[in-house]
Amino acid sequence: MRDNNIAIKLSIPDEKAGMRLDQALSQLLSDYSRARIQQWIHDGNVLLDGKTCKPRDKVSGSEEVSIDVELEPEGQWLPQDIPLEIIYEDEDIIVVNKPIGLIVHPGAGVPDGTLVNALLHYDINLQKLPRAGIVHRLDKDTSGLLVIARSIRAHTSLIDQLQTKTMQREYAAIVNGELSSGGTVDASIGRHPKNRLKMAVVNGGKTAVTHYRIKEQFTKYTYVHCQLETGRTHQIRVHMAHIGHALLGDAVYGTKSDKLKQKLRRQALHAARLTLKHPGTGKAMTFESPLPKDIEEILELLRNDYS
């Protein structure tokens, strides 16, 4: 049986001074809901400088917080028998190759039929982890590699690797236009000011950095590999569109003059390579996923007709 106890020790940063304790902790522990953190405090599972506390207590900075609690199921998601392509698994992690069209997490208008539902069917113990062990996501129509935590130890480690940028995620993409060289896009991303369903490069958004390099050049198109330094919603799609090279087939951020988009019917984006440190052994591990058939076919077309 896996350890579903969570033990956290942290110091309240000085910049949180004046905030309610539950508000400060929900920002510091963003993988747990504020309601859950409030319940932990009410149940006496949270100590502030060694003393029990209340959610509304104000913090002044530098306080020591200790949390010791046994996790209970986070959501009411149903296990569903949805096929999974598992690349690797052990007691700490599962690495899956997500297919095109599969949504990662239930949300508004999508109560089930997601990767989370599939994972719960595969391992019901995942219901005791935040977001069923999901630590990063892929868009519905982006294929490729995702790592899922199976233990608190793994969840804590993987979140830390994402935050410290030591987990490496590399994506294969086909973009519109002819790039002359690789580069880096360092531009903050937030909600689009006029269309709340889209993201955009905006002042005051969250820091976002994408590195890209050319793999093959074609007439009017370029095959690139992108490496994420951060993980914002739609990051690669927004960044490449921002520099005038929207992804082939991208119905949200793409261009109407994209002549090949009808041959793909989704954005040409695939999570091809994932490198992480194993949460238990500390060993560096790299996983690779070959290009899916639809992107391979587009590349062959480009090599034959657009070179």
Side-chain angles (χ1 to χ4, degrees):
M1 181 180 294
R2 287 188 203 93
D3 181 9
N4 287 309
N5 288 322
I6 182 167
I8 297 174
K9 293 185 182 297
L10 57 85
S11 296
I12 300 292
D14 291 340
E15 60 266 26
K16 304 296 182 186
M19 295 177 67
R20 286 173 52 122
L21 175 62
D22 59 344
Q23 182 185 14
L25 289 179
S26 67
Q27 292 183 7
L28 295 169
L29 304 171
S30 59
D31 288 297
Y32 302 98
S33 67
R34 186 169 177 179
R36 170 165 282 197
I37 289 172
Q38 289 173 338
Q39 190 60 54
W40 290 351
I41 298 172
H42 283 305
D43 292 344
N45 299 122
V46 179
L47 299 180
L48 187 66
D49 283 337
K51 299 178 181 180
T52 56
C53 44
K54 297 178 181 179
R56 66 174 180 271
D57 286 349
K58 295 292 180 68
V59 298
S60 56
S62 301
E63 295 97 330
E64 297 297 321
V65 175
S66 61
I67 300 172
D68 189 357
V69 67
E70 182 175 355
L71 291 177
E72 297 297 333
E74 172 106 352
Q76 300 301 316
W77 307 306
L78 296 174
Q80 291 179 298
D81 189 4
I82 300 170
L84 287 172
E85 183 182 350
I86 295 177
I87 304 298
Y88 174 86
E89 66 173 314
D90 60 28
E91 66 178 3
D92 283 313
I93 61 174
I94 302 173
V95 179
V96 300
N97 193 27
K98 189 189 84 67
I100 304 159
L102 182 64
I103 293 174
V104 169
H105 197 281
V110 187
D112 54 26
T114 71
L115 177 62
V116 163
N117 301 103
L119 288 167
L120 291 176
H121 181 269
Y122 187 76
D123 182 357
I124 194 62
N125 287 307
L126 291 173
Q127 68 179 333
K128 293 187 177 181
L129 293 169
R131 298 189 179 95
I134 299 289
V135 295
H136 63 121
R137 304 187 188 189
L138 296 177
D139 298 336
K140 174 184 176 181
D141 289 326
T142 298
S143 53
L145 297 170
L146 278 170
V147 60
I148 294 93
R150 298 183 89 171
S151 66
I152 287 299
R153 171 177 69 179
H155 189 271
T156 301
S157 173
L158 294 174
I159 290 293
D160 180 68
Q161 291 180 54
L162 285 166
Q163 291 178 342
T164 58
K165 304 174 185 177
T166 56
M167 184 186 296
Q168 297 177 10
R169 292 163 291 162
E170 188 169 309
Y171 293 70
I174 303 172
V175 302
N176 283 275
E178 300 174 32
L179 284 164
S180 57
S181 64
T184 295
V185 185
D186 184 348
S188 298
I189 290 177
R191 287 288 171 190
H192 193 286
K194 295 182 180 179
N195 185 345
R196 304 302 292 175
L197 299 178
K198 295 175 62 174
M199 307 301 289
V201 169
V202 294
N203 292 328
K206 293 182 178 180
T207 300
V209 180
T210 304
H211 308 283
Y212 62 92
R213 68 180 191 276
I214 294 173
K215 299 292 288 185
E216 291 185 67
Q217 293 174 307
F218 308 101
T219 303
K220 298 183 179 180
Y221 299 93
T222 309
Y223 174 37
V224 298
H225 273 199
C226 298
Q227 186 167 327
L228 292 180
E229 191 171 309
T230 53
R232 308 306 176 198
T233 302
H234 299 176
Q235 180 172 316
I236 293 173
R237 299 166 64 189
V238 170
H239 271 174
M240 298 312 291
H242 177 67
I243 64 171
H245 295 279
L247 268 60
L248 169 65
D250 194 330
V252 177
Y253 304 102
T255 170
K256 293 181 179 180
S257 61
D258 184 347
K259 295 181 179 179
L260 291 180
K261 65 181 178 181
Q262 295 302 321
K263 295 183 179 294
L264 189 62
R265 300 187 182 278
R266 62 135 174 161
Q267 64 266 9
L269 187 61
H270 176 70
R273 185 180 175 92
L274 176 67
T275 298
L276 55 87
K277 183 173 70 174
H278 189 275
T281 66
K283 177 183 177 182
M285 305 182 76
T286 296
F287 305 96
E288 295 185 348
S289 171
L291 289 175
K293 183 178 179 181
D294 61 346
I295 292 182
E296 279 283 17
E297 289 177 347
I298 289 292
L299 285 174
E300 285 302 310
L301 175 63
L302 291 172
R303 287 165 185 151
N304 292 331
D305 299 338
Y306 290 77
S307 295

